[in-house]
Amino acid sequence: MVDDQGELRKLVRMTLEFGGYELHEAGYGERALELATVIKPDLVILDVMMPGEIDGYQVCEQLKKGAFEKVPYVILLTAKGQASDLQEGDRVGADDYLIKPFSPLQLIDTVKIALQ
């Protein structure tokens, strides 16, 4: 889970902890890429707008380039919901796109489908 808002990370953690998922958290893009190198996640839930040198689109693009041993499923979870934002998500290789505010049930369903 990558989001600069600790409250949102907490909500996602509480939503997914009942599914028995192992969850790691990062507050900005650079840290997300560091963790991905070590953890090799199956799935990344990623905000777009974050502080630091790289945004969520750039993180997604780097995760999907194949520079990582394992290419994770990427769900962009963001307030950016314009058509151009969705197109940018497609361009960088995001597998799914959820717009904030989101339904916790929708997130659970999306994660379950992604990890099948």
Side-chain angles (χ1 to χ4, degrees):
M1 172 63 203
V2 187
D3 197 296
D4 59 315
Q5 296 180 9
E7 301 83 25
L8 184 74
R9 291 194 314 266
K10 180 179 179 181
L11 174 62
V12 170
R13 184 180 346 103
M14 290 171 50
T15 299
L16 296 178
E17 70 184 0
F18 296 107
Y21 301 107
E22 180 180 333
L23 187 67
H24 300 270
E25 300 177 30
Y28 56 97
E30 294 87 348
R31 180 68 181 143
L33 292 173
E34 291 170 6
L35 283 174
T37 301
V38 175
I39 297 167
K40 299 171 184 60
D42 295 317
L43 180 137
V44 176
I45 300 170
L46 182 61
D47 188 17
V48 170
M49 297 180 294
M50 294 181 290
E53 296 292 319
I54 58 176
D55 66 15
Y57 291 130
Q58 293 165 311
V59 171
C60 180
E61 191 169 35
Q62 289 189 38
L63 290 170
K64 293 296 188 171
K65 274 186 180 176
F68 290 86
E69 186 176 313
K70 182 177 188 178
V71 177
Y73 191 99
V74 176
I75 300 170
L76 293 179
L77 178 61
T78 181
K80 294 179 70 78
Q82 301 294 322
S84 60
D85 301 319
L86 297 171
Q87 290 170 347
E88 182 66 4
D90 285 340
R91 186 192 71 76
V92 298
D95 298 291
D96 225 319
Y97 204 106
L98 299 178
I99 299 170
K100 297 175 187 173
F102 65 97
S103 157
L105 292 175
Q106 182 185 18
L107 178 61
I108 290 169
D109 289 345
T110 303
V111 168
K112 281 182 185 177
I113 290 167
L115 296 176
Q116 287 182 354

